[in-house]
Amino acid sequence: MFGYTEEQIAQFGLSFGVTAFMLYMVFIIIQLARESKAGKFGTFVLLLGLGFGLVGFAAKGLIKFFLSGLGE
């Protein structure tokens, strides 16, 4: 498709698409905290609890990158 291989399209989707989705999820969590009038501590708890999965997903990618010999 447009001179790109399936692997290149998948890599682009995983790097930029998932990153954009994760940033959108953070926006949703912050919006939820605002609408519920959670305050500073409540916002922190929401970000910690709901954002913990996002941090784990990002950490998994970094761990795989470093264990594979820095991208070799």
Side-chain angles (χ1 to χ4, degrees):
M1 176 190 267
F2 303 114
Y4 296 107
T5 65
E6 181 184 358
E7 181 182 0
Q8 290 172 324
I9 294 171
Q11 185 62 35
F12 178 80
L14 280 174
S15 58
F16 292 104
V18 173
T19 302
F21 180 69
M22 290 172 72
L23 290 173
Y24 183 61
M25 293 282 289
V26 170
F27 170 75
I28 290 172
I29 294 169
I30 291 172
Q31 194 68 19
L32 178 66
R34 283 185 188 157
E35 289 180 6
S36 66
K37 298 177 183 163
K40 289 182 181 180
F41 181 70
T43 302
F44 172 74
V45 170
L46 280 170
L47 285 171
L48 182 68
L50 298 175
F52 193 66
L54 299 175
V55 172
F57 184 79
K60 180 184 77 166
L62 287 172
I63 290 169
K64 286 172 69 176
F65 178 76
F66 285 114
L67 286 180
S68 68
L70 296 174
E72 293 178 15

